[in-house]
Amino acid sequence: MQTELSLKLLPSKAVSTQAIKEYIAASLSKSEDSITGFHKLKQSIDARGKQPFVNVVLKAFVDEPFVDRQHESINFKAVKKNARTVIIIGAGPAGLFAALRLIELGVKPIILERGKDVRARRRDLAILNKEGIINTESNYCFGEGGAGTYSDGKLYTRSNKRGDINRILNLFVQFGAEDQILYEAHPHIGTNKLPQIITAMRQAIVDFGGEFLFEKRVTEFVIEGDNLSGVVTANGDKFFADSVILATGHSARDIYLMLDRQQILIEAKPFALGVRVEHPQAIIDQVQYGKSQVSSNAPRDQYLPPASYSLVQQVHDKGVFSFCMCPGGIIAPAATSSNELVVNGWSPSKRNNPFANSGIVVSCEQKDMNQVEGYTQYLTNNGVTQQSPLALMFFQQMVEQKAYQSGGGKFVAPAQRMVDFCNNKVSESLPGCSYLPGISSAALGDCLPSFIHKRLQEGFKSFGNKMRGYYSNEAVVVATESRTSSPVRIPRNLETLQHPQIKNLYPCGEGAGYAGGIVSAAMDGERVATMIVATLVRS
């Protein structure tokens, strides 16, 4: 028989197949020999007590042959030579999963990616980290796989209503991810493994009849009446198709400028901005797992993962919250321009770096801008007004440029120790930090708007009350975490998913304002692709 049961295990037992079989046998009052195998269905850490446990839900095979886990895989078939075509602008998760879905439904995708493939992109990242020189078309945001390729690879989302999460996870496994992402409470692939998976997806798209073109930055839409028929790239190439999916990610500011220039409707969208905070991982482990489990003389149980956290606090009617927490991670330079300072975080699959980092950000809305010194003049210098749909994008850019100046150039990041930050004190020295271009002691209040700076100060103190040991001068605050989501929304019809003004244009994913992470972007890509095919069939 097959039966489902829940177990509460010590971390050392949760990784032992033999130990789990023993617990299954005891729970079912069966002999160990009768337990032929099991599949984990769900797994999570419970660290609320003095002793952390691992909660496991599994399917056990009893008195019958064990059958390996059956993965739901898609049998792709080559699209026909006369198939309808869809241009996809951007090869992030929204674009890639849209392409795979189109092929599955018999439509040919043509992916136009402004950046390079993952291998060439890696060389540009090395130059950025070591020499402080950025390639504005190939960096942590632009290139094959989008911003997610060299991020933490988190696959956790609450977006259950946007699509089939399990389908997305199974596709990742089909292209090379380990099947533990199917049952872990907070699945994650790791920056070291994502590039190979992305490459496998691209190869499948090409093998089954799609086109995948690099260094093709779109600069203009070809519009006839109210119909979008094609696109023009920076090198003058023109591409035409039945529909266009715009899946360029949250950092393609030139796309928003292009849409505004061509008088295509866009809207300002609230986003969040703040800093990235880094602690020694041992501090977070001790806070989360308890001093009885972790101390300077007793490191974290080798069977426990590096601890993470999720924090939120209302400060003066605004949310201050953690974003993209990376245990055992690294802070990376995520700018897309030579005079802006942006930081983000990522982790390898083992999460075995000695630091833990997280964005700590404050929500930003149009109404907040009246308080920001120099903002109106900055808009004027860029030829826009506060009523412009690009106003929040320019606010984001202004803060990033101030941070770059404060760091002194070459993507050195301005930083303060956490307690010093809250006491408005320039740190005399800074702790070790994973950020490779380096950090420089500075007053972050000089580059952060006051409504953000003051809320972060209060937020850190509140977080220290929630997590004893979090509020510490061993933690370093690094500016600026600003690419949390797009500051612009590209509207679309709720039913057709097309732009309300331009036919055949399908805004998609994070850059259009309809996703917030790898899985939600992938689901949105699939949803848009499915809708396009349904529309093409009816036409």
Side-chain angles (χ1 to χ4, degrees), residues 165-227:
I165 294 174
N166 289 330
R167 174 183 160 90
I168 300 301
L169 296 180
N170 273 284
L171 272 169
F172 272 113
V173 171
Q174 182 172 339
F175 286 104
E178 296 179 7
D179 65 5
Q180 65 192 40
I181 68 171
L182 301 175
Y183 58 80
E184 289 184 336
H186 294 87
H188 125 280
I189 292 177
T191 308
N192 54 319
K193 295 186 176 182
L194 266 170
Q196 298 94 305
I197 295 168
I198 298 302
T199 299
M201 290 181 176
R202 182 230 303 167
Q203 192 60 53
I205 291 168
V206 174
D207 287 346
F208 292 108
E211 291 186 46
F212 208 119
L213 304 174
F214 293 106
E215 298 183 76
K216 295 293 182 185
R217 179 169 59 88
V218 171
T219 57
E220 186 180 352
F221 284 161
V222 179
I223 300 173
E224 301 169 356
D226 61 354
N227 286 286

Short mmCIF file of all heavy atoms in Angstrom, two decimals, residues 165-227:
data_model
loop_
_atom_site.label_atom_id
_atom_site.label_comp_id
_atom_site.label_asym_id
_atom_site.label_seq_id
_atom_site.Cartn_x
_atom_site.Cartn_y
_atom_site.Cartn_z
N ILE A 165 1.98 26.57 -10.08
CA ILE A 165 3.33 26.62 -9.53
C ILE A 165 4.04 25.29 -9.74
O ILE A 165 5.22 25.25 -10.11
CB ILE A 165 3.29 26.97 -8.02
CG1 ILE A 165 2.76 28.39 -7.82
CG2 ILE A 165 4.67 26.82 -7.40
CD1 ILE A 165 2.55 28.78 -6.38
N ASN A 166 3.33 24.17 -9.51
CA ASN A 166 3.97 22.86 -9.65
C ASN A 166 4.44 22.61 -11.08
O ASN A 166 5.47 21.96 -11.30
CB ASN A 166 3.00 21.76 -9.21
CG ASN A 166 2.80 21.74 -7.71
OD1 ASN A 166 3.70 22.12 -6.96
ND2 ASN A 166 1.64 21.33 -7.27
N ARG A 167 3.69 23.12 -12.05
CA ARG A 167 4.11 22.97 -13.45
C ARG A 167 5.44 23.69 -13.68
O ARG A 167 6.34 23.16 -14.33
CB ARG A 167 3.02 23.53 -14.37
CG ARG A 167 3.42 23.56 -15.85
CD ARG A 167 2.32 24.21 -16.68
NE ARG A 167 2.84 24.66 -17.96
CZ ARG A 167 2.88 23.91 -19.07
NH1 ARG A 167 2.43 22.67 -19.04
NH2 ARG A 167 3.37 24.40 -20.19
N ILE A 168 5.58 24.89 -13.14
CA ILE A 168 6.82 25.65 -13.29
C ILE A 168 7.98 24.91 -12.63
O ILE A 168 9.07 24.76 -13.21
CB ILE A 168 6.68 27.06 -12.69
CG1 ILE A 168 5.55 27.85 -13.39
CG2 ILE A 168 8.00 27.82 -12.78
CD1 ILE A 168 5.74 28.04 -14.86
N LEU A 169 7.77 24.42 -11.41
CA LEU A 169 8.83 23.71 -10.70
C LEU A 169 9.22 22.43 -11.44
O LEU A 169 10.40 22.09 -11.54
CB LEU A 169 8.39 23.39 -9.27
CG LEU A 169 8.11 24.59 -8.36
CD1 LEU A 169 7.68 24.13 -6.98
CD2 LEU A 169 9.33 25.50 -8.25
N ASN A 170 8.24 21.72 -11.97
CA ASN A 170 8.54 20.50 -12.72
C ASN A 170 9.31 20.79 -14.00
O ASN A 170 10.17 20.00 -14.40
CB ASN A 170 7.24 19.74 -13.04
CG ASN A 170 6.82 18.80 -11.91
OD1 ASN A 170 7.39 17.73 -11.74
ND2 ASN A 170 5.83 19.23 -11.14
N LEU A 171 9.02 21.92 -14.63
CA LEU A 171 9.79 22.31 -15.81
C LEU A 171 11.24 22.60 -15.45
O LEU A 171 12.17 22.24 -16.18
CB LEU A 171 9.15 23.51 -16.50
CG LEU A 171 8.08 23.19 -17.54
CD1 LEU A 171 7.33 24.45 -17.95
CD2 LEU A 171 8.72 22.53 -18.77
N PHE A 172 11.45 23.25 -14.31
CA PHE A 172 12.83 23.47 -13.86
C PHE A 172 13.55 22.14 -13.65
O PHE A 172 14.72 21.98 -14.02
CB PHE A 172 12.85 24.30 -12.57
CG PHE A 172 12.88 25.78 -12.79
CD1 PHE A 172 11.80 26.58 -12.43
CD2 PHE A 172 13.98 26.40 -13.35
CE1 PHE A 172 11.83 27.95 -12.63
CE2 PHE A 172 14.02 27.77 -13.56
CZ PHE A 172 12.94 28.55 -13.20
N VAL A 173 12.85 21.16 -13.05
CA VAL A 173 13.46 19.84 -12.85
C VAL A 173 13.74 19.18 -14.20
O VAL A 173 14.79 18.56 -14.41
CB VAL A 173 12.55 18.97 -11.97
CG1 VAL A 173 13.06 17.52 -11.94
CG2 VAL A 173 12.46 19.52 -10.56
N GLN A 174 12.79 19.32 -15.14
CA GLN A 174 12.99 18.73 -16.47
C GLN A 174 14.25 19.27 -17.14
O GLN A 174 14.92 18.55 -17.89
CB GLN A 174 11.76 19.03 -17.34
CG GLN A 174 11.82 18.42 -18.73
CD GLN A 174 10.51 18.58 -19.50
OE1 GLN A 174 9.44 18.80 -18.90
NE2 GLN A 174 10.56 18.48 -20.82
N PHE A 175 14.60 20.53 -16.84
CA PHE A 175 15.78 21.12 -17.47
C PHE A 175 17.01 21.11 -16.57
O PHE A 175 17.98 21.80 -16.86
CB PHE A 175 15.45 22.54 -17.93
CG PHE A 175 14.58 22.57 -19.15
CD1 PHE A 175 13.23 22.87 -19.06
CD2 PHE A 175 15.10 22.25 -20.40
CE1 PHE A 175 12.42 22.88 -20.18
CE2 PHE A 175 14.29 22.26 -21.53
CZ PHE A 175 12.95 22.57 -21.42
N GLY A 176 16.96 20.32 -15.49
CA GLY A 176 18.19 20.08 -14.74
C GLY A 176 18.21 20.43 -13.28
O GLY A 176 19.20 20.16 -12.59
N ALA A 177 17.15 21.04 -12.74
CA ALA A 177 17.14 21.36 -11.31
C ALA A 177 16.93 20.08 -10.49
O ALA A 177 16.33 19.11 -10.96
CB ALA A 177 16.02 22.36 -10.99
N GLU A 178 17.43 20.07 -9.26
CA GLU A 178 17.25 18.92 -8.38
C GLU A 178 15.81 18.85 -7.90
O GLU A 178 15.16 19.89 -7.68
CB GLU A 178 18.21 19.01 -7.20
CG GLU A 178 19.67 18.95 -7.61
CD GLU A 178 20.62 19.06 -6.44
OE1 GLU A 178 20.14 19.07 -5.29
OE2 GLU A 178 21.84 19.16 -6.66
N ASP A 179 15.29 17.62 -7.72
CA ASP A 179 13.86 17.48 -7.42
C ASP A 179 13.48 17.92 -6.01
O ASP A 179 12.30 17.96 -5.67
CB ASP A 179 13.37 16.06 -7.70
CG ASP A 179 14.00 15.02 -6.80
OD1 ASP A 179 14.76 15.39 -5.89
OD2 ASP A 179 13.73 13.82 -7.02
N GLN A 180 14.46 18.30 -5.18
CA GLN A 180 14.11 18.80 -3.85
C GLN A 180 13.32 20.10 -3.93
O GLN A 180 12.61 20.44 -2.98
CB GLN A 180 15.37 19.00 -3.01
CG GLN A 180 16.31 20.08 -3.53
CD GLN A 180 17.66 20.03 -2.84
OE1 GLN A 180 18.20 18.96 -2.59
NE2 GLN A 180 18.21 21.21 -2.53
N ILE A 181 13.42 20.83 -5.05
CA ILE A 181 12.62 22.05 -5.17
C ILE A 181 11.13 21.74 -5.21
O ILE A 181 10.30 22.64 -5.02
CB ILE A 181 13.01 22.88 -6.42
CG1 ILE A 181 12.62 22.16 -7.72
CG2 ILE A 181 14.49 23.22 -6.40
CD1 ILE A 181 12.78 23.00 -8.96
N LEU A 182 10.76 20.47 -5.44
CA LEU A 182 9.35 20.10 -5.52
C LEU A 182 8.71 19.97 -4.15
O LEU A 182 7.48 19.99 -4.04
CB LEU A 182 9.20 18.78 -6.28
CG LEU A 182 9.71 18.76 -7.72
CD1 LEU A 182 9.59 17.37 -8.31
CD2 LEU A 182 8.97 19.77 -8.58
N TYR A 183 9.51 19.81 -3.09
CA TYR A 183 8.91 19.60 -1.78
C TYR A 183 9.40 20.56 -0.69
O TYR A 183 8.81 20.62 0.38
CB TYR A 183 9.10 18.15 -1.31
CG TYR A 183 10.52 17.67 -1.22
CD1 TYR A 183 11.32 17.99 -0.12
CD2 TYR A 183 11.08 16.85 -2.20
CE1 TYR A 183 12.62 17.53 0.00
CE2 TYR A 183 12.38 16.39 -2.11
CZ TYR A 183 13.15 16.73 -1.01
OH TYR A 183 14.44 16.27 -0.91
N GLU A 184 10.47 21.29 -0.93
CA GLU A 184 10.95 22.21 0.10
C GLU A 184 10.00 23.39 0.26
O GLU A 184 9.41 23.88 -0.71
CB GLU A 184 12.34 22.71 -0.24
CG GLU A 184 13.42 21.66 -0.08
CD GLU A 184 14.81 22.21 -0.34
OE1 GLU A 184 14.90 23.22 -1.07
OE2 GLU A 184 15.77 21.63 0.17
N ALA A 185 9.85 23.86 1.51
CA ALA A 185 8.93 24.97 1.78
C ALA A 185 9.37 26.24 1.08
O ALA A 185 8.54 27.03 0.62
CB ALA A 185 8.83 25.19 3.29
N HIS A 186 10.67 26.47 1.02
CA HIS A 186 11.22 27.65 0.34
C HIS A 186 12.28 27.20 -0.66
O HIS A 186 13.49 27.33 -0.40
CB HIS A 186 11.81 28.64 1.35
CG HIS A 186 10.77 29.25 2.25
ND1 HIS A 186 10.36 28.65 3.42
CD2 HIS A 186 10.05 30.40 2.15
CE1 HIS A 186 9.43 29.41 4.00
NE2 HIS A 186 9.22 30.46 3.24
N PRO A 187 11.85 26.66 -1.79
CA PRO A 187 12.81 26.10 -2.75
C PRO A 187 13.72 27.16 -3.35
O PRO A 187 13.34 28.31 -3.52
CB PRO A 187 11.91 25.47 -3.81
CG PRO A 187 10.62 26.21 -3.71
CD PRO A 187 10.46 26.55 -2.26
N HIS A 188 14.93 26.74 -3.66
CA HIS A 188 15.91 27.65 -4.25
C HIS A 188 16.91 26.80 -5.02
O HIS A 188 17.22 25.67 -4.63
CB HIS A 188 16.53 28.49 -3.12
CG HIS A 188 18.01 28.47 -3.01
ND1 HIS A 188 18.69 27.44 -2.40
CD2 HIS A 188 18.95 29.36 -3.39
CE1 HIS A 188 19.98 27.71 -2.41
NE2 HIS A 188 20.17 28.86 -3.02
N ILE A 189 17.38 27.31 -6.15
CA ILE A 189 18.28 26.55 -7.02
C ILE A 189 19.74 26.91 -6.76
O ILE A 189 20.59 26.04 -6.64
CB ILE A 189 17.93 26.78 -8.50
CG1 ILE A 189 16.56 26.16 -8.81
CG2 ILE A 189 18.99 26.17 -9.40
CD1 ILE A 189 16.08 26.38 -10.23
N GLY A 190 20.05 28.20 -6.67
CA GLY A 190 21.43 28.62 -6.47
C GLY A 190 22.03 29.21 -7.73
O GLY A 190 21.83 28.72 -8.83
N THR A 191 22.80 30.27 -7.53
CA THR A 191 23.39 31.00 -8.65
C THR A 191 24.36 30.14 -9.45
O THR A 191 24.52 30.33 -10.66
CB THR A 191 24.13 32.24 -8.11
OG1 THR A 191 23.23 32.97 -7.29
CG2 THR A 191 24.60 33.14 -9.23
N ASN A 192 24.99 29.18 -8.80
CA ASN A 192 25.96 28.34 -9.49
C ASN A 192 25.30 27.31 -10.42
O ASN A 192 25.93 26.79 -11.33
CB ASN A 192 26.85 27.62 -8.48
CG ASN A 192 26.06 26.83 -7.44
OD1 ASN A 192 25.03 27.30 -6.95
ND2 ASN A 192 26.53 25.66 -7.10
N LYS A 193 24.02 27.02 -10.19
CA LYS A 193 23.33 25.99 -10.98
C LYS A 193 22.35 26.56 -12.01
O LYS A 193 22.03 25.90 -13.00
CB LYS A 193 22.61 25.02 -10.06
CG LYS A 193 23.57 24.22 -9.18
CD LYS A 193 22.85 23.15 -8.39
CE LYS A 193 23.85 22.31 -7.59
NZ LYS A 193 23.19 21.22 -6.83
N LEU A 194 21.87 27.76 -11.77
CA LEU A 194 20.87 28.34 -12.69
C LEU A 194 21.38 28.50 -14.12
O LEU A 194 20.64 28.23 -15.07
CB LEU A 194 20.40 29.69 -12.15
CG LEU A 194 19.13 29.65 -11.29
CD1 LEU A 194 18.91 31.00 -10.63
CD2 LEU A 194 17.91 29.29 -12.12
N PRO A 195 22.63 28.94 -14.34
CA PRO A 195 23.07 29.14 -15.72
C PRO A 195 22.95 27.90 -16.60
O PRO A 195 22.53 27.99 -17.76
CB PRO A 195 24.54 29.57 -15.56
CG PRO A 195 24.57 30.27 -14.25
CD PRO A 195 23.63 29.47 -13.38
N GLN A 196 23.30 26.72 -16.07
CA GLN A 196 23.18 25.50 -16.87
C GLN A 196 21.73 25.18 -17.21
O GLN A 196 21.43 24.70 -18.31
CB GLN A 196 23.79 24.31 -16.11
CG GLN A 196 25.27 24.45 -15.81
CD GLN A 196 25.54 25.03 -14.44
OE1 GLN A 196 25.06 26.11 -14.11
NE2 GLN A 196 26.33 24.32 -13.64
N ILE A 197 20.83 25.47 -16.28
CA ILE A 197 19.41 25.22 -16.51
C ILE A 197 18.87 26.16 -17.59
O ILE A 197 18.13 25.76 -18.49
CB ILE A 197 18.63 25.37 -15.19
CG1 ILE A 197 19.07 24.27 -14.21
CG2 ILE A 197 17.13 25.32 -15.43
CD1 ILE A 197 18.58 24.48 -12.79
N ILE A 198 19.26 27.44 -17.49
CA ILE A 198 18.84 28.43 -18.48
C ILE A 198 19.37 28.05 -19.87
O ILE A 198 18.66 28.14 -20.88
CB ILE A 198 19.34 29.83 -18.08
CG1 ILE A 198 18.75 30.27 -16.74
CG2 ILE A 198 19.01 30.85 -19.17
CD1 ILE A 198 17.26 30.31 -16.69
N THR A 199 20.62 27.61 -19.93
CA THR A 199 21.21 27.19 -21.20
C THR A 199 20.43 26.01 -21.79
O THR A 199 20.19 25.95 -23.01
CB THR A 199 22.68 26.80 -21.02
OG1 THR A 199 23.40 27.94 -20.53
CG2 THR A 199 23.30 26.35 -22.32
N ALA A 200 20.03 25.06 -20.95
CA ALA A 200 19.26 23.90 -21.43
C ALA A 200 17.90 24.33 -21.98
O ALA A 200 17.42 23.79 -22.98
CB ALA A 200 19.08 22.90 -20.29
N MET A 201 17.29 25.32 -21.36
CA MET A 201 16.02 25.83 -21.86
C MET A 201 16.20 26.47 -23.23
O MET A 201 15.42 26.25 -24.15
CB MET A 201 15.42 26.85 -20.88
CG MET A 201 14.90 26.25 -19.59
SD MET A 201 14.19 27.52 -18.52
CE MET A 201 13.58 26.52 -17.17
N ARG A 202 17.25 27.29 -23.36
CA ARG A 202 17.52 27.93 -24.65
C ARG A 202 17.75 26.88 -25.75
O ARG A 202 17.23 27.00 -26.85
CB ARG A 202 18.75 28.83 -24.55
CG ARG A 202 19.09 29.57 -25.85
CD ARG A 202 20.53 29.41 -26.24
NE ARG A 202 21.40 29.86 -25.19
CZ ARG A 202 22.72 29.60 -25.17
NH1 ARG A 202 23.28 28.91 -26.15
NH2 ARG A 202 23.48 30.01 -24.17
N GLN A 203 18.51 25.84 -25.42
CA GLN A 203 18.79 24.80 -26.41
C GLN A 203 17.51 24.11 -26.85
O GLN A 203 17.33 23.81 -28.04
CB GLN A 203 19.77 23.78 -25.84
CG GLN A 203 20.33 22.83 -26.88
CD GLN A 203 21.10 23.55 -27.97
OE1 GLN A 203 22.00 24.34 -27.70
NE2 GLN A 203 20.72 23.31 -29.23
N ALA A 204 16.61 23.87 -25.91
CA ALA A 204 15.33 23.24 -26.27
C ALA A 204 14.51 24.15 -27.17
O ALA A 204 13.90 23.69 -28.15
CB ALA A 204 14.55 22.91 -25.00
N ILE A 205 14.50 25.45 -26.87
CA ILE A 205 13.75 26.40 -27.70
C ILE A 205 14.26 26.38 -29.13
O ILE A 205 13.49 26.34 -30.09
CB ILE A 205 13.84 27.81 -27.08
CG1 ILE A 205 13.05 27.86 -25.77
CG2 ILE A 205 13.32 28.87 -28.07
CD1 ILE A 205 13.30 29.11 -24.95
N VAL A 206 15.58 26.36 -29.28
CA VAL A 206 16.19 26.33 -30.62
C VAL A 206 15.94 24.98 -31.30
O VAL A 206 15.59 24.91 -32.48
CB VAL A 206 17.69 26.65 -30.53
CG1 VAL A 206 18.36 26.47 -31.89
CG2 VAL A 206 17.91 28.07 -30.03
N ASP A 207 16.13 23.90 -30.55
CA ASP A 207 15.98 22.56 -31.12
C ASP A 207 14.57 22.31 -31.65
O ASP A 207 14.38 21.58 -32.64
CB ASP A 207 16.31 21.49 -30.08
CG ASP A 207 17.81 21.40 -29.79
OD1 ASP A 207 18.59 21.97 -30.57
OD2 ASP A 207 18.17 20.78 -28.78
N PHE A 208 13.58 22.93 -31.01
CA PHE A 208 12.20 22.68 -31.42
C PHE A 208 11.63 23.78 -32.32
O PHE A 208 10.42 23.89 -32.47
CB PHE A 208 11.32 22.48 -30.18
CG PHE A 208 11.63 21.20 -29.44
CD1 PHE A 208 12.27 21.23 -28.22
CD2 PHE A 208 11.30 19.97 -30.00
CE1 PHE A 208 12.58 20.06 -27.55
CE2 PHE A 208 11.60 18.79 -29.34
CZ PHE A 208 12.25 18.83 -28.11
N GLY A 209 12.53 24.58 -32.90
CA GLY A 209 12.09 25.48 -33.96
C GLY A 209 12.01 26.94 -33.62
O GLY A 209 11.67 27.76 -34.49
N GLY A 210 12.31 27.31 -32.39
CA GLY A 210 12.30 28.73 -32.05
C GLY A 210 13.60 29.40 -32.45
O GLY A 210 14.59 28.74 -32.78
N GLU A 211 13.61 30.72 -32.43
CA GLU A 211 14.83 31.50 -32.68
C GLU A 211 15.22 32.20 -31.39
O GLU A 211 14.38 32.67 -30.63
CB GLU A 211 14.62 32.53 -33.79
CG GLU A 211 14.45 31.94 -35.17
CD GLU A 211 14.40 33.02 -36.24
OE1 GLU A 211 15.26 33.93 -36.21
OE2 GLU A 211 13.50 32.96 -37.09
N PHE A 212 16.53 32.27 -31.16
CA PHE A 212 17.05 32.89 -29.93
C PHE A 212 18.22 33.76 -30.34
O PHE A 212 19.29 33.28 -30.69
CB PHE A 212 17.51 31.79 -28.97
CG PHE A 212 17.43 32.17 -27.52
CD1 PHE A 212 16.63 31.46 -26.65
CD2 PHE A 212 18.17 33.24 -27.01
CE1 PHE A 212 16.56 31.78 -25.30
CE2 PHE A 212 18.11 33.58 -25.68
CZ PHE A 212 17.29 32.84 -24.81
N LEU A 213 18.03 35.08 -30.32
CA LEU A 213 19.04 36.02 -30.82
C LEU A 213 19.54 36.93 -29.71
O LEU A 213 18.74 37.53 -28.98
CB LEU A 213 18.45 36.87 -31.95
CG LEU A 213 17.86 36.07 -33.13
CD1 LEU A 213 17.17 37.00 -34.10
CD2 LEU A 213 18.94 35.26 -33.83
N PHE A 214 20.86 37.01 -29.57
CA PHE A 214 21.47 37.84 -28.54
C PHE A 214 21.92 39.19 -29.11
O PHE A 214 22.04 39.36 -30.32
CB PHE A 214 22.68 37.12 -27.93
CG PHE A 214 22.30 35.91 -27.14
CD1 PHE A 214 22.54 34.63 -27.64
CD2 PHE A 214 21.70 36.02 -25.90
CE1 PHE A 214 22.19 33.51 -26.92
CE2 PHE A 214 21.34 34.90 -25.17
CZ PHE A 214 21.59 33.64 -25.68
N GLU A 215 22.15 40.12 -28.19
CA GLU A 215 22.61 41.48 -28.52
C GLU A 215 21.68 42.14 -29.55
O GLU A 215 22.11 42.72 -30.53
CB GLU A 215 24.06 41.44 -29.00
CG GLU A 215 25.00 40.91 -27.91
CD GLU A 215 26.46 40.90 -28.30
OE1 GLU A 215 27.06 41.99 -28.30
OE2 GLU A 215 26.99 39.80 -28.60
N LYS A 216 20.39 42.00 -29.25
CA LYS A 216 19.33 42.59 -30.09
C LYS A 216 18.45 43.47 -29.19
O LYS A 216 17.40 43.06 -28.72
CB LYS A 216 18.49 41.51 -30.77
CG LYS A 216 19.25 40.65 -31.77
CD LYS A 216 19.68 41.45 -32.99
CE LYS A 216 20.39 40.58 -34.01
NZ LYS A 216 20.91 41.39 -35.15
N ARG A 217 18.93 44.66 -28.95
CA ARG A 217 18.18 45.61 -28.11
C ARG A 217 17.11 46.31 -28.94
O ARG A 217 17.42 46.96 -29.95
CB ARG A 217 19.12 46.64 -27.48
CG ARG A 217 18.40 47.68 -26.61
CD ARG A 217 19.39 48.50 -25.79
NE ARG A 217 20.36 49.20 -26.64
CZ ARG A 217 20.16 50.42 -27.16
NH1 ARG A 217 19.01 51.07 -26.92
NH2 ARG A 217 21.10 50.99 -27.89
N VAL A 218 15.87 46.17 -28.52
CA VAL A 218 14.76 46.78 -29.25
C VAL A 218 14.70 48.27 -28.95
O VAL A 218 14.75 48.69 -27.78
CB VAL A 218 13.43 46.10 -28.89
CG1 VAL A 218 12.24 46.85 -29.47
CG2 VAL A 218 13.43 44.65 -29.39
N THR A 219 14.59 49.07 -30.01
CA THR A 219 14.58 50.53 -29.85
C THR A 219 13.31 51.19 -30.37
O THR A 219 13.08 52.37 -30.12
CB THR A 219 15.78 51.16 -30.58
OG1 THR A 219 15.74 50.77 -31.96
CG2 THR A 219 17.09 50.70 -29.96
N GLU A 220 12.49 50.44 -31.11
CA GLU A 220 11.29 51.04 -31.70
C GLU A 220 10.27 49.96 -32.04
O GLU A 220 10.62 48.85 -32.43
CB GLU A 220 11.66 51.81 -32.98
CG GLU A 220 10.51 52.59 -33.60
CD GLU A 220 10.93 53.32 -34.87
OE1 GLU A 220 12.14 53.33 -35.17
OE2 GLU A 220 10.04 53.86 -35.56
N PHE A 221 9.00 50.31 -31.88
CA PHE A 221 7.91 49.46 -32.33
C PHE A 221 7.44 49.91 -33.70
O PHE A 221 7.37 51.12 -33.98
CB PHE A 221 6.73 49.52 -31.36
CG PHE A 221 6.93 48.73 -30.09
CD1 PHE A 221 6.16 49.01 -28.97
CD2 PHE A 221 7.87 47.71 -30.00
CE1 PHE A 221 6.31 48.29 -27.80
CE2 PHE A 221 8.05 46.99 -28.84
CZ PHE A 221 7.26 47.28 -27.73
N VAL A 222 7.11 48.96 -34.56
CA VAL A 222 6.50 49.26 -35.85
C VAL A 222 4.99 49.15 -35.67
O VAL A 222 4.44 48.06 -35.46
CB VAL A 222 6.98 48.28 -36.94
CG1 VAL A 222 6.32 48.60 -38.27
CG2 VAL A 222 8.51 48.33 -37.07
N ILE A 223 4.32 50.30 -35.73
CA ILE A 223 2.88 50.35 -35.46
C ILE A 223 2.15 50.89 -36.68
O ILE A 223 2.52 51.93 -37.22
CB ILE A 223 2.58 51.24 -34.23
CG1 ILE A 223 3.30 50.67 -32.99
CG2 ILE A 223 1.09 51.33 -33.97
CD1 ILE A 223 3.22 51.56 -31.78
N GLU A 224 1.15 50.17 -37.11
CA GLU A 224 0.31 50.58 -38.23
C GLU A 224 -1.11 50.77 -37.71
O GLU A 224 -1.78 49.80 -37.38
CB GLU A 224 0.36 49.53 -39.34
CG GLU A 224 1.77 49.29 -39.88
CD GLU A 224 1.85 48.07 -40.78
OE1 GLU A 224 0.83 47.37 -40.92
OE2 GLU A 224 2.94 47.82 -41.33
N GLY A 225 -1.53 52.04 -37.63
CA GLY A 225 -2.81 52.32 -36.99
C GLY A 225 -2.69 52.06 -35.51
O GLY A 225 -1.89 52.70 -34.82
N ASP A 226 -3.48 51.09 -35.00
CA ASP A 226 -3.34 50.70 -33.60
C ASP A 226 -2.83 49.26 -33.49
O ASP A 226 -2.98 48.62 -32.46
CB ASP A 226 -4.67 50.85 -32.85
CG ASP A 226 -5.78 49.98 -33.44
OD1 ASP A 226 -5.56 49.35 -34.49
OD2 ASP A 226 -6.86 49.93 -32.84
N ASN A 227 -2.20 48.75 -34.55
CA ASN A 227 -1.67 47.39 -34.56
C ASN A 227 -0.16 47.38 -34.52
O ASN A 227 0.52 48.06 -35.31
CB ASN A 227 -2.11 46.65 -35.83
CG ASN A 227 -3.58 46.26 -35.79
OD1 ASN A 227 -3.96 45.34 -35.08
ND2 ASN A 227 -4.39 46.98 -36.55
#
